[in-house]
PDB file of all heavy atoms in Angstrom:
ATOM      1  N   ARG A  11    -107.788 -92.207 -54.286  1.00 73.00           N
ATOM      2  CA  ARG A  11    -107.430 -90.821 -53.960  1.00 73.00           C
ATOM      3  C   ARG A  11    -108.678 -89.950 -53.865  1.00 73.00           C
ATOM      4  O   ARG A  11    -108.801 -89.116 -52.960  1.00 73.00           O
ATOM      5  CB  ARG A  11    -106.490 -90.268 -55.028  1.00 73.00           C
ATOM      6  CG  ARG A  11    -106.037 -88.840 -54.766  1.00 73.00           C
ATOM      7  CD  ARG A  11    -105.041 -88.394 -55.832  1.00 73.00           C
ATOM      8  NE  ARG A  11    -104.601 -87.025 -55.611  1.00 73.00           N
ATOM      9  CZ  ARG A  11    -103.751 -86.388 -56.391  1.00 73.00           C
ATOM     10  NH1 ARG A  11    -103.230 -87.005 -57.443  1.00 73.00           N
ATOM     11  NH2 ARG A  11    -103.401 -85.143 -56.125  1.00 73.00           N
ATOM     12  N   LEU A  12    -109.625 -90.156 -54.792  1.00 70.00           N
ATOM     13  CA  LEU A  12    -110.844 -89.353 -54.783  1.00 70.00           C
ATOM     14  C   LEU A  12    -111.665 -89.627 -53.526  1.00 70.00           C
ATOM     15  O   LEU A  12    -112.121 -88.698 -52.851  1.00 70.00           O
ATOM     16  CB  LEU A  12    -111.686 -89.658 -56.027  1.00 70.00           C
ATOM     17  CG  LEU A  12    -113.022 -88.917 -56.130  1.00 70.00           C
ATOM     18  CD1 LEU A  12    -112.789 -87.415 -56.160  1.00 70.00           C
ATOM     19  CD2 LEU A  12    -113.785 -89.367 -57.371  1.00 70.00           C
ATOM     20  N   LEU A  13    -111.842 -90.905 -53.193  1.00 72.00           N
ATOM     21  CA  LEU A  13    -112.615 -91.253 -52.007  1.00 72.00           C
ATOM     22  C   LEU A  13    -111.923 -90.757 -50.736  1.00 72.00           C
ATOM     23  O   LEU A  13    -112.582 -90.337 -49.790  1.00 72.00           O
ATOM     24  CB  LEU A  13    -112.830 -92.766 -51.952  1.00 72.00           C
ATOM     25  CG  LEU A  13    -113.767 -93.320 -53.035  1.00 72.00           C
ATOM     26  CD1 LEU A  13    -113.694 -94.835 -53.078  1.00 72.00           C
ATOM     27  CD2 LEU A  13    -115.198 -92.864 -52.799  1.00 72.00           C
ATOM     28  N   ALA A  14    -110.594 -90.820 -50.722  1.00 71.00           N
ATOM     29  CA  ALA A  14    -109.844 -90.316 -49.569  1.00 71.00           C
ATOM     30  C   ALA A  14    -110.063 -88.821 -49.397  1.00 71.00           C
ATOM     31  O   ALA A  14    -110.142 -88.308 -48.272  1.00 71.00           O
ATOM     32  CB  ALA A  14    -108.367 -90.632 -49.726  1.00 71.00           C
ATOM     33  N   SER A  15    -110.173 -88.097 -50.521  1.00 70.00           N
ATOM     34  CA  SER A  15    -110.378 -86.651 -50.443  1.00 70.00           C
ATOM     35  C   SER A  15    -111.737 -86.317 -49.847  1.00 70.00           C
ATOM     36  O   SER A  15    -111.935 -85.246 -49.283  1.00 70.00           O
ATOM     37  CB  SER A  15    -110.257 -86.022 -51.837  1.00 70.00           C
ATOM     38  OG  SER A  15    -111.364 -86.358 -52.661  1.00 70.00           O
ATOM     39  N   PHE A  16    -112.694 -87.244 -49.965  1.00 69.00           N
ATOM     40  CA  PHE A  16    -114.018 -87.064 -49.375  1.00 69.00           C
ATOM     41  C   PHE A  16    -114.082 -87.604 -47.948  1.00 69.00           C
ATOM     42  O   PHE A  16    -115.128 -87.538 -47.295  1.00 69.00           O
ATOM     43  CB  PHE A  16    -115.082 -87.778 -50.210  1.00 69.00           C
ATOM     44  CG  PHE A  16    -115.271 -87.200 -51.572  1.00 69.00           C
ATOM     45  CD1 PHE A  16    -115.604 -88.011 -52.647  1.00 69.00           C
ATOM     46  CD2 PHE A  16    -115.133 -85.839 -51.797  1.00 69.00           C
ATOM     47  CE1 PHE A  16    -115.790 -87.486 -53.917  1.00 69.00           C
ATOM     48  CE2 PHE A  16    -115.315 -85.301 -53.063  1.00 69.00           C
ATOM     49  CZ  PHE A  16    -115.646 -86.123 -54.129  1.00 69.00           C
ATOM     50  N   GLY A  17    -112.971 -88.166 -47.474  1.00 70.00           N
ATOM     51  CA  GLY A  17    -112.948 -88.730 -46.132  1.00 70.00           C
ATOM     52  C   GLY A  17    -113.634 -90.070 -46.016  1.00 70.00           C
ATOM     53  O   GLY A  17    -114.024 -90.481 -44.925  1.00 70.00           O
ATOM     54  N   VAL A  18    -113.781 -90.767 -47.153  1.00 74.00           N
ATOM     55  CA  VAL A  18    -114.463 -92.071 -47.145  1.00 74.00           C
ATOM     56  C   VAL A  18    -113.604 -93.100 -47.887  1.00 74.00           C
ATOM     57  O   VAL A  18    -114.087 -93.857 -48.723  1.00 74.00           O
ATOM     58  CB  VAL A  18    -115.868 -91.984 -47.781  1.00 74.00           C
ATOM     59  CG1 VAL A  18    -116.830 -91.253 -46.874  1.00 74.00           C
ATOM     60  CG2 VAL A  18    -115.800 -91.303 -49.154  1.00 74.00           C
ATOM     61  N   ARG A  19    -112.324 -93.139 -47.574  1.00 73.00           N
ATOM     62  CA  ARG A  19    -111.409 -94.038 -48.272  1.00 73.00           C
ATOM     63  C   ARG A  19    -111.808 -95.499 -48.112  1.00 73.00           C
ATOM     64  O   ARG A  19    -111.507 -96.337 -48.962  1.00 73.00           O
ATOM     65  CB  ARG A  19    -109.995 -93.812 -47.736  1.00 73.00           C
ATOM     66  CG  ARG A  19    -108.922 -94.482 -48.572  1.00 73.00           C
ATOM     67  CD  ARG A  19    -107.533 -94.107 -48.092  1.00 73.00           C
ATOM     68  NE  ARG A  19    -106.530 -94.814 -48.884  1.00 73.00           N
ATOM     69  CZ  ARG A  19    -105.409 -95.299 -48.377  1.00 73.00           C
ATOM     70  NH1 ARG A  19    -105.158 -95.177 -47.089  1.00 73.00           N
ATOM     71  NH2 ARG A  19    -104.538 -95.901 -49.140  1.00 73.00           N
ATOM     72  N   ASN A  20    -112.483 -95.817 -47.015  1.00 80.00           N
ATOM     73  CA  ASN A  20    -112.904 -97.199 -46.783  1.00 80.00           C
ATOM     74  C   ASN A  20    -113.897 -97.693 -47.832  1.00 80.00           C
ATOM     75  O   ASN A  20    -114.130 -98.892 -47.954  1.00 80.00           O
ATOM     76  CB  ASN A  20    -113.543 -97.333 -45.399  1.00 80.00           C
ATOM     77  CG  ASN A  20    -114.816 -96.488 -45.257  1.00 80.00           C
ATOM     78  OD1 ASN A  20    -114.746 -95.263 -45.188  1.00 80.00           O
ATOM     79  ND2 ASN A  20    -115.959 -97.134 -45.206  1.00 80.00           N
ATOM     80  N   LEU A  21    -114.478 -96.776 -48.610  1.00 84.00           N
ATOM     81  CA  LEU A  21    -115.439 -97.185 -49.635  1.00 84.00           C
ATOM     82  C   LEU A  21    -114.769 -97.796 -50.857  1.00 84.00           C
ATOM     83  O   LEU A  21    -115.439 -98.437 -51.665  1.00 84.00           O
ATOM     84  CB  LEU A  21    -116.293 -95.987 -50.070  1.00 84.00           C
ATOM     85  CG  LEU A  21    -117.233 -95.386 -49.027  1.00 84.00           C
ATOM     86  CD1 LEU A  21    -118.088 -94.298 -49.659  1.00 84.00           C
ATOM     87  CD2 LEU A  21    -118.117 -96.451 -48.400  1.00 84.00           C
ATOM     88  N   ASN A  22    -113.469 -97.586 -51.023  1.00 84.00           N
ATOM     89  CA  ASN A  22    -112.788 -98.198 -52.162  1.00 84.00           C
ATOM     90  C   ASN A  22    -112.933 -99.711 -52.063  1.00 84.00           C
ATOM     91  O   ASN A  22    -112.610-100.307 -51.036  1.00 84.00           O
ATOM     92  CB  ASN A  22    -111.308 -97.817 -52.160  1.00 84.00           C
ATOM     93  CG  ASN A  22    -110.604 -98.257 -53.428  1.00 84.00           C
ATOM     94  OD1 ASN A  22    -110.778 -99.368 -53.903  1.00 84.00           O
ATOM     95  ND2 ASN A  22    -109.803 -97.373 -53.989  1.00 84.00           N
ATOM     96  N   PRO A  23    -113.438-100.379 -53.111  1.00 86.00           N
ATOM     97  CA  PRO A  23    -113.625-101.828 -53.054  1.00 86.00           C
ATOM     98  C   PRO A  23    -112.381-102.612 -52.659  1.00 86.00           C
ATOM     99  O   PRO A  23    -112.484-103.715 -52.134  1.00 86.00           O
ATOM    100  CB  PRO A  23    -114.076-102.172 -54.479  1.00 86.00           C
ATOM    101  CG  PRO A  23    -114.775-100.934 -54.941  1.00 86.00           C
ATOM    102  CD  PRO A  23    -113.976 -99.804 -54.364  1.00 86.00           C
ATOM    103  N   ALA A  24    -111.198-102.035 -52.895  1.00 85.00           N
ATOM    104  CA  ALA A  24    -109.969-102.706 -52.489  1.00 85.00           C
ATOM    105  C   ALA A  24    -109.851-102.781 -50.967  1.00 85.00           C
ATOM    106  O   ALA A  24    -109.074-103.584 -50.435  1.00 85.00           O
ATOM    107  CB  ALA A  24    -108.757-101.976 -53.068  1.00 85.00           C
ATOM    108  N   ARG A  25    -110.624-101.946 -50.264  1.00 88.00           N
ATOM    109  CA  ARG A  25    -110.565-101.890 -48.808  1.00 88.00           C
ATOM    110  C   ARG A  25    -111.856-102.363 -48.146  1.00 88.00           C
ATOM    111  O   ARG A  25    -112.025-102.224 -46.940  1.00 88.00           O
ATOM    112  CB  ARG A  25    -110.266-100.445 -48.376  1.00 88.00           C
ATOM    113  CG  ARG A  25    -109.019 -99.855 -48.992  1.00 88.00           C
ATOM    114  CD  ARG A  25    -108.891 -98.372 -48.694  1.00 88.00           C
ATOM    115  NE  ARG A  25    -108.727 -98.114 -47.278  1.00 88.00           N
ATOM    116  CZ  ARG A  25    -107.556 -98.130 -46.647  1.00 88.00           C
ATOM    117  NH1 ARG A  25    -106.438 -98.387 -47.314  1.00 88.00           N
ATOM    118  NH2 ARG A  25    -107.474 -97.884 -45.378  1.00 88.00           N
ATOM    119  N   TRP A  26    -112.751-102.938 -48.934  1.00 92.00           N
ATOM    120  CA  TRP A  26    -114.068-103.309 -48.417  1.00 92.00           C
ATOM    121  C   TRP A  26    -114.023-104.289 -47.254  1.00 92.00           C
ATOM    122  O   TRP A  26    -114.914-104.293 -46.420  1.00 92.00           O
ATOM    123  CB  TRP A  26    -114.911-103.921 -49.543  1.00 92.00           C
ATOM    124  CG  TRP A  26    -115.708-102.899 -50.297  1.00 92.00           C
ATOM    125  CD1 TRP A  26    -115.463-101.567 -50.398  1.00 92.00           C
ATOM    126  CD2 TRP A  26    -116.884-103.145 -51.066  1.00 92.00           C
ATOM    127  NE1 TRP A  26    -116.399-100.963 -51.202  1.00 92.00           N
ATOM    128  CE2 TRP A  26    -117.276-101.906 -51.621  1.00 92.00           C
ATOM    129  CE3 TRP A  26    -117.614-104.284 -51.370  1.00 92.00           C
ATOM    130  CZ2 TRP A  26    -118.405-101.789 -52.432  1.00 92.00           C
ATOM    131  CZ3 TRP A  26    -118.732-104.169 -52.182  1.00 92.00           C
ATOM    132  CH2 TRP A  26    -119.126-102.930 -52.706  1.00 92.00           C
ATOM    133  N   PHE A  27    -113.034-105.138 -47.213  1.00 94.00           N
ATOM    134  CA  PHE A  27    -113.042-106.209 -46.213  1.00 94.00           C
ATOM    135  C   PHE A  27    -112.079-105.967 -45.064  1.00 94.00           C
ATOM    136  O   PHE A  27    -111.846-106.849 -44.238  1.00 94.00           O
ATOM    137  CB  PHE A  27    -112.776-107.543 -46.910  1.00 94.00           C
ATOM    138  CG  PHE A  27    -113.687-107.750 -48.097  1.00 94.00           C
ATOM    139  CD1 PHE A  27    -113.165-107.873 -49.383  1.00 94.00           C
ATOM    140  CD2 PHE A  27    -115.055-107.757 -47.939  1.00 94.00           C
ATOM    141  CE1 PHE A  27    -114.005-108.027 -50.479  1.00 94.00           C
ATOM    142  CE2 PHE A  27    -115.911-107.901 -49.032  1.00 94.00           C
ATOM    143  CZ  PHE A  27    -115.380-108.041 -50.303  1.00 94.00           C
ATOM    144  N   LEU A  28    -111.526-104.754 -45.008  1.00 92.00           N
ATOM    145  CA  LEU A  28    -110.720-104.357 -43.859  1.00 92.00           C
ATOM    146  C   LEU A  28    -111.661-103.859 -42.767  1.00 92.00           C
ATOM    147  O   LEU A  28    -112.527-103.017 -43.029  1.00 92.00           O
ATOM    148  CB  LEU A  28    -109.748-103.237 -44.244  1.00 92.00           C
ATOM    149  CG  LEU A  28    -108.656-103.588 -45.254  1.00 92.00           C
ATOM    150  CD1 LEU A  28    -107.852-102.336 -45.595  1.00 92.00           C
ATOM    151  CD2 LEU A  28    -107.745-104.680 -44.715  1.00 92.00           C
ATOM    152  N   PRO A  29    -111.548-104.361 -41.551  1.00 92.00           N
ATOM    153  CA  PRO A  29    -112.428-103.908 -40.458  1.00 92.00           C
ATOM    154  C   PRO A  29    -112.357-102.396 -40.269  1.00 92.00           C
ATOM    155  O   PRO A  29    -111.300-101.787 -40.448  1.00 92.00           O
ATOM    156  CB  PRO A  29    -111.877-104.649 -39.236  1.00 92.00           C
ATOM    157  CG  PRO A  29    -111.182-105.848 -39.806  1.00 92.00           C
ATOM    158  CD  PRO A  29    -110.594-105.389 -41.112  1.00 92.00           C
ATOM    159  N   PHE A  30    -113.486-101.794 -39.938  1.00 86.00           N
ATOM    160  CA  PHE A  30    -113.513-100.354 -39.723  1.00 86.00           C
ATOM    161  C   PHE A  30    -112.490 -99.925 -38.666  1.00 86.00           C
ATOM    162  O   PHE A  30    -111.833 -98.895 -38.815  1.00 86.00           O
ATOM    163  CB  PHE A  30    -114.906 -99.920 -39.276  1.00 86.00           C
ATOM    164  CG  PHE A  30    -115.953-100.019 -40.357  1.00 86.00           C
ATOM    165  CD1 PHE A  30    -117.187-100.601 -40.096  1.00 86.00           C
ATOM    166  CD2 PHE A  30    -115.707 -99.532 -41.627  1.00 86.00           C
ATOM    167  CE1 PHE A  30    -118.152-100.694 -41.088  1.00 86.00           C
ATOM    168  CE2 PHE A  30    -116.663 -99.614 -42.638  1.00 86.00           C
ATOM    169  CZ  PHE A  30    -117.890-100.202 -42.356  1.00 86.00           C
ATOM    170  N   GLU A  31    -112.350-100.712 -37.609  1.00 76.00           N
ATOM    171  CA  GLU A  31    -111.400-100.363 -36.556  1.00 76.00           C
ATOM    172  C   GLU A  31    -109.975-100.288 -37.092  1.00 76.00           C
ATOM    173  O   GLU A  31    -109.210 -99.393 -36.762  1.00 76.00           O
ATOM    174  CB  GLU A  31    -111.467-101.393 -35.416  1.00 76.00           C
ATOM    175  CG  GLU A  31    -112.704-101.276 -34.550  1.00 76.00           C
ATOM    176  CD  GLU A  31    -112.628-102.212 -33.369  1.00 76.00           C
ATOM    177  OE1 GLU A  31    -111.568-102.852 -33.174  1.00 76.00           O
ATOM    178  OE2 GLU A  31    -113.623-102.320 -32.636  1.00 76.00           O
ATOM    179  N   GLU A  32    -109.644-101.257 -37.932  1.00 72.00           N
ATOM    180  CA  GLU A  32    -108.291-101.304 -38.501  1.00 72.00           C
ATOM    181  C   GLU A  32    -108.038-100.094 -39.393  1.00 72.00           C
ATOM    182  O   GLU A  32    -106.953 -99.507 -39.377  1.00 72.00           O
ATOM    183  CB  GLU A  32    -108.116-102.597 -39.286  1.00 72.00           C
ATOM    184  CG  GLU A  32    -106.737-102.799 -39.864  1.00 72.00           C
ATOM    185  CD  GLU A  32    -106.607-104.131 -40.576  1.00 72.00           C
ATOM    186  OE1 GLU A  32    -107.142-105.133 -40.064  1.00 72.00           O
ATOM    187  OE2 GLU A  32    -105.982-104.175 -41.655  1.00 72.00           O
ATOM    188  N   GLN A  33    -109.037 -99.706 -40.162  1.00 67.00           N
ATOM    189  CA  GLN A  33    -108.876 -98.560 -41.043  1.00 67.00           C
ATOM    190  C   GLN A  33    -108.772 -97.266 -40.253  1.00 67.00           C
ATOM    191  O   GLN A  33    -108.035 -96.354 -40.613  1.00 67.00           O
ATOM    192  CB  GLN A  33    -110.037 -98.499 -42.032  1.00 67.00           C
ATOM    193  CG  GLN A  33    -110.111 -99.726 -42.938  1.00 67.00           C
ATOM    194  CD  GLN A  33    -110.899 -99.459 -44.202  1.00 67.00           C
ATOM    195  OE1 GLN A  33    -110.647 -98.493 -44.904  1.00 67.00           O
ATOM    196  NE2 GLN A  33    -111.843-100.324 -44.500  1.00 67.00           N
ATOM    197  N   ALA A  34    -109.526 -97.191 -39.159  1.00 56.00           N
ATOM    198  CA  ALA A  34    -109.479 -95.983 -38.331  1.00 56.00           C
ATOM    199  C   ALA A  34    -108.111 -95.846 -37.685  1.00 56.00           C
ATOM    200  O   ALA A  34    -107.549 -94.750 -37.592  1.00 56.00           O
ATOM    201  CB  ALA A  34    -110.562 -96.049 -37.258  1.00 56.00           C
ATOM    202  N   ASP A  35    -107.530 -96.959 -37.252  1.00 52.00           N
ATOM    203  CA  ASP A  35    -106.208 -96.930 -36.622  1.00 52.00           C
ATOM    204  C   ASP A  35    -105.122 -96.512 -37.600  1.00 52.00           C
ATOM    205  O   ASP A  35    -104.127 -95.882 -37.216  1.00 52.00           O
ATOM    206  CB  ASP A  35    -105.852 -98.315 -36.050  1.00 52.00           C
ATOM    207  CG  ASP A  35    -106.729 -98.672 -34.867  1.00 52.00           C
ATOM    208  OD1 ASP A  35    -107.335 -97.749 -34.285  1.00 52.00           O
ATOM    209  OD2 ASP A  35    -106.817 -99.868 -34.539  1.00 52.00           O
ATOM    210  N   ALA A  36    -105.331 -96.865 -38.902  1.00 53.00           N
ATOM    211  CA  ALA A  36    -104.315 -96.571 -39.921  1.00 53.00           C
ATOM    212  C   ALA A  36    -104.453 -95.171 -40.492  1.00 53.00           C
ATOM    213  O   ALA A  36    -103.596 -94.682 -41.210  1.00 53.00           O
ATOM    214  CB  ALA A  36    -104.395 -97.591 -41.043  1.00 53.00           C
ATOM    215  N   ALA A  37    -105.553 -94.509 -40.184  1.00 50.00           N
ATOM    216  CA  ALA A  37    -105.825 -93.180 -40.760  1.00 50.00           C
ATOM    217  C   ALA A  37    -104.855 -92.131 -40.219  1.00 50.00           C
ATOM    218  O   ALA A  37    -104.362 -92.228 -39.116  1.00 50.00           O
ATOM    219  CB  ALA A  37    -107.257 -92.772 -40.455  1.00 50.00           C
TER     220      ALA A  37
END
């Protein structure tokens, strides 16, 4: 939640291995 509030949710280690494209599409 904290990282999402900074607009960098992809930095959460739970999401480290999700491709950037996939994360951008889900945003």
Side-chain angles (χ1 to χ4, degrees):
R11 181 177 180 181
L12 178 60
L13 291 168
S15 71
F16 294 147
V18 288
R19 192 174 178 218
N20 63 289
L21 294 185
N22 188 315
R25 305 171 64 86
W26 270 23
F27 309 118
L28 295 176
F30 290 133
E31 286 186 6
E32 183 177 320
Q33 298 201 51
D35 292 341

